[in-house]
Amino acid sequence: MPYNPGVWTCPTCAPLAVGLQEPQHGRAPRVEELLRRNHPIMHEELGDFHLIVDKSPDIIYGLNERILHVEQLLERLLQARSQAEADLADARSLVHPMRALPNTLMMTIFSYCVPTWDTALSEGEVTSLDPALAPWTLSFVCRRWRDIVLSSPQLWTYLELDIDDHGAHITPRQLAYKMTLFIERSKGLPLFFHLSSTHDIANHPIFPVLEVSLPRWKHLSIDLPRSTLQCLSGNIFSSLEQLVILDVEEESDERDDLAVFETTNAPNLRVLEVDAQVPWQLFEHFALPWTGLRKVVDFPAVDFDAFWHLQKMSNIEDLAVFVGEGDMPMRAVKASLPKLACLSIQEDLEAHTKSLKAFCAALDIPELSELRFTFPSARGRPHRFPIFRLADRLTKLHIACAMSCNSNSSGNILHFLSHAPLVEDFSIVDAGITVKFISGLTITSTSARLPLLRIFDFSGCFCDDILSEDWAKIFDMLQSRLAEPADSNAKTTGNALVPSSHPSPNAARFFLEKRWEEMCKTVRVECGVTMRDDFSDEEDSVHGSDYGSDDSDGMDSVGTY
């Protein structure tokens, strides 16, 4: 049986497919039948098969020619596609907005890639000389980036160097060279240094580099042996403003009479931060400019040596105290801090219950205006507040505690607040704030705690499933503070701040019923409360015709829930 299908023409390469027959899929049924048997072929079919045998070589040859042409065409098409893709990538690169950014903006973006003094202290250790980190790696991208990085000295002002960590990967001379290169690229700007080593580096190749850059040190964090510090004592720290002492290694053969920082050597030192593991008796040999200090962080309240130095800080304005384990030994000793305006107190779980009160009793701070408490969250441990004379002049008060851990905590806090009549800004961080505490802040005819309160931040104080009855107490308290303060000169807040998320449908009605808009004009409230899960089920009842119309009083002030 002859094979004579129709002609198939390729729509893309028609000139090469003229006369090309559509290929047959599989054998013809007659051929299948004949191949299954070994019988002779019929005479009328024999001619057709002989014709196929005679013409097939020419057909195959022609098909091979066409296949070669198609393969060549496919290769050219693939090359054209690759070129089009490359052109597209090049065009996208050329029109990318990054190429249009000015160098000043690029420098600003780069500044967020490099560590700074604040970020390094909070995020942990970094290695400033590591070529895989910024700003080194930024200079490897392209010529333009390199020019920007090298012409931006502010990218090269923070240097953290751990000598022990680099010792296994780089020789001392290579380390000194990279450090010299880093400092040279800062081009005279103030430097922020963190130096760490467990061994004396006075004979290390980097020590001369340190001495040359000393007048430019603005902030310094050290974890060094005392012998290294003593070798630095003869230099001038003319720009040093902040000193952080993480640790000072002691050695048996060191001389106790050598000072590290003398008053004339660091005349601009204003901030001192001492890690808890550093003994304050060490400062007997530190001739620090105590009278010039303005801020001290992590001051140990129960350390007699530290308290002896505190008496010399007559100009201090900000003091952060840590009340740790141990008793308060000084009962008759007093420290006069006439300029202290902000006092932060953090009490450790192991602290003696009377240490905080004893420490505050030893202070004379007539200008104190801001007080910050952080109490440990321990069940059964009451929060004891210091003597109440500290509260007389307070205008800003922050308390972090857990009232639910002890039944007396709410009463103790309220008792302290009753002695703070001038507080205008009050914030409390407490996951277990009690209704008793909220009710105690409500102004009544017989009770008026914090009468001048204008800013009340109780973010994160409530759980998601707070009861509507509790919200009633909260809004009754806020409503009670709509009256004008007794002092006509008291500061008021004109900005109305609405809570970022709405608590519940019932509370939504309280927003309206308690004239929330008027309340916010007088009392700015910051309340981080999570929306209840059932709010969406009752949303229609809250936003219905009674509450959601344009004429509803106060809805515009609530805004989007």
Side-chain angles (χ1 to χ4, degrees):
M1 180 178 293
Y3 173 65
N4 187 21
V7 177
W8 173 75
T9 302
C10 176
T12 303
C13 48
L16 298 176
V18 174
L20 184 64
Q21 296 179 338
E22 183 178 359
Q24 177 177 328
H25 301 286
R27 297 188 180 103
R30 177 57 180 165
V31 175
E32 288 282 355
E33 181 182 356
L34 292 174
L35 290 176
R36 287 197 301 268
R37 303 176 183 181
N38 198 19
H39 295 171
I41 302 175
M42 299 176 60
H43 179 72
E44 57 271 16
E45 296 177 333
L46 187 62
D48 294 334
F49 288 111
H50 279 296
L51 182 63
I52 293 175
V53 172
D54 295 338
K55 292 186 176 182
S56 289
D58 295 334
I59 294 175
I60 293 174
Y61 178 80
L63 290 175
N64 287 335
E65 287 290 327
R66 287 178 171 86
I67 290 174
L68 178 61
H69 293 163
V70 171
E71 288 178 344
Q72 293 175 348
L73 176 61
L74 177 61
E75 181 66 22
R76 291 195 296 270
L77 291 175
L78 291 176
Q79 293 177 354
R81 185 182 67 179
S82 299
Q83 184 61 43
E85 291 175 345
D87 294 342
L88 175 60
D90 293 340
R92 285 177 173 174
S93 177
L94 292 173
V95 301
H96 196 280
M98 179 66 72
R99 303 177 69 90
L101 294 179
N103 290 352
T104 54
L105 183 56
M106 291 285 292
M107 187 276 296
T108 303
I109 296 174
F110 291 164
S111 66
Y112 287 96
C113 301
V114 299
T116 62
W117 175 264
D118 295 330
T119 58
L121 289 180
S122 60
E123 297 176 2
E125 295 185 357
V126 297
T127 305
S128 301
L129 300 184
D130 189 348
L133 300 177
W136 302 94
T137 185
L138 297 175
S139 63
F140 302 154
V141 176
C142 63
R143 171 59 62 180
R144 184 193 175 204
W145 282 34
R146 180 173 180 82
D147 293 340
I148 295 174
V149 171
L150 296 184
S151 61
S152 303
Q154 56 268 43
L155 301 179
W156 304 88
T157 57
Y158 178 79
L159 178 59
E160 180 164 340
L161 185 60
D162 188 340
I163 308 299
D164 300 332
D165 186 42
H166 284 285
H169 308 288
I170 189 173
T171 65
R173 291 190 177 277
Q174 290 174 331
L175 182 62
Y177 170 75
K178 293 196 67 174
M179 184 174 177
T180 302
L181 186 62
F182 194 101
I183 294 176
E184 285 180 351
R185 291 178 177 179
S186 62
K187 297 180 180 179
L189 292 182
L191 297 176
F192 304 83
F193 260 94
H194 172 73
L195 300 178
S196 176
S197 177
T198 57
H199 306 288
D200 186 13
I201 60 173
N203 297 321
H204 196 283
I206 69 166
F207 195 79
V209 182
L210 293 175
E211 287 190 307
V212 171
S213 62
L214 273 176
R216 295 168 51 195
W217 292 5
K218 185 175 183 179
H219 293 176
L220 175 61
S221 173
I222 55 175
D223 181 358
L224 298 172
R226 183 176 170 186
S227 56
T228 300
L229 296 179
Q230 289 172 341
C231 292
L232 295 173
S233 62
N235 295 277
I236 304 299
F237 301 84
S238 57
S239 301
L240 189 63
E241 297 180 0
Q242 181 172 353
L243 176 61
V244 179
I245 302 178
L246 301 178
D247 195 8
V248 177
E249 297 289 340
E250 291 280 0
E251 297 180 8
S252 58
D253 57 346
E254 291 174 341
R255 291 176 55 188
D256 291 340
D257 59 339
L258 292 180
V260 179
F261 295 104
E262 298 181 357
T263 304
T264 56
N265 288 356
N268 295 315
L269 185 61
R270 296 293 179 266
V271 181
L272 175 63
E273 181 175 349
V274 183
D275 193 86
Q277 64 181 344
V278 179
W280 272 75
Q281 63 182 6
L282 177 69
F283 289 96
E284 296 178 7
H285 313 294
F286 275 56
L288 291 177
W290 300 106
T291 57
L293 293 179
R294 299 293 185 270
K295 181 177 180 180
V296 175
V297 182
D298 288 341
F299 182 85
V302 295
D303 191 318
F304 179 81
D305 295 301
F307 197 86
W308 184 79
H309 289 291
L310 181 63
Q311 295 174 305
K312 297 181 289 186
M313 305 179 194
S314 57
N315 293 313
I316 190 172
E317 300 173 355
D318 191 338
L319 178 62
V321 176
F322 177 77
V323 184
E325 185 178 2
D327 296 330
M328 192 67 185
M330 66 294 291
R331 298 186 179 276
V333 181
K334 296 290 184 179
S336 178
L337 307 177
K339 296 184 179 180
L340 185 63
C342 178
L343 177 61
S344 301
I345 300 175
Q346 180 178 356
E347 187 180 45
D348 185 67
L349 183 61
E350 303 298 329
H352 193 279
T353 55
K354 296 183 179 180
S355 295
L356 175 58
K357 184 176 182 180
F359 174 77
C360 294
L363 298 180
D364 181 16
I365 40 182
E367 299 298 326
L368 185 65
S369 60
E370 180 177 355
L371 189 57
R372 305 178 66 87
F373 287 113
T374 301
F375 292 103
S377 299
R379 186 163 300 280
R381 180 186 177 94
H383 302 128
R384 300 181 184 276
F385 285 81
I387 55 178
F388 299 123
R389 63 182 178 83
L390 293 181
D392 293 345
R393 297 177 179 83
L394 291 181
T395 58
K396 188 173 184 179
L397 178 62
H398 172 85
I399 299 176
C401 62
M403 297 185 193
S404 58
C405 293
N406 188 276
S407 58
N408 296 326
S409 294
S410 297
N412 292 343
I413 296 177
L414 290 174
H415 189 44
F416 181 79
L417 295 181
S418 64
H419 292 77
L422 302 181
V423 171
E424 300 177 1
D425 187 339
F426 176 51
S427 59
I428 183 166
V429 179
D430 185 348
I433 194 171
T434 61
V435 177
K436 174 184 176 182
F437 176 75
I438 292 297
S439 299
L441 292 180
T442 304
I443 295 180
T444 64
S445 58
T446 59
S447 175
R449 293 184 179 90
L450 307 182
L452 303 183
L453 182 64
R454 290 296 173 269
I455 300 175
F456 184 25
D457 181 0
F458 49 99
S459 304
C461 292
F462 303 102
C463 54
D464 297 345
D465 54 351
I466 186 171
L467 301 177
S468 301
E469 293 78 6
D470 296 338
W471 277 115
K473 298 290 186 180
I474 295 172
F475 289 104
D476 284 343
M477 181 271 292
L478 296 176
Q479 173 71 13
S480 70
R481 296 186 173 274
L482 289 176
E484 291 296 327
D487 185 0
S488 59
N489 296 323
K491 182 173 65 175
T492 59
T493 302
N495 297 328
L497 181 60
V498 180
S500 57
S501 59
H502 208 282
S504 67
N506 289 331
R509 297 187 180 92
F510 278 105
F511 272 106
L512 304 179
E513 295 173 2
K514 300 300 182 181
R515 296 177 298 150
W516 180 253
E517 182 178 12
E518 182 182 356
M519 212 176 301
C520 289
K521 288 180 179 179
T522 305
V523 182
R524 179 161 65 91
V525 181
E526 300 175 6
C527 172
V529 181
T530 305
M531 189 185 307
R532 282 183 56 177
D533 294 335
D534 61 350
F535 178 67
S536 58
D537 299 335
E538 304 183 32
E539 185 174 4
D540 295 337
S541 64
V542 178
H543 298 286
S545 58
D546 293 339
Y547 296 97
S549 63
D550 294 337
D551 297 333
S552 60
D553 184 20
M555 177 59 75
D556 291 340
S557 67
V558 177
T560 304
Y561 297 160

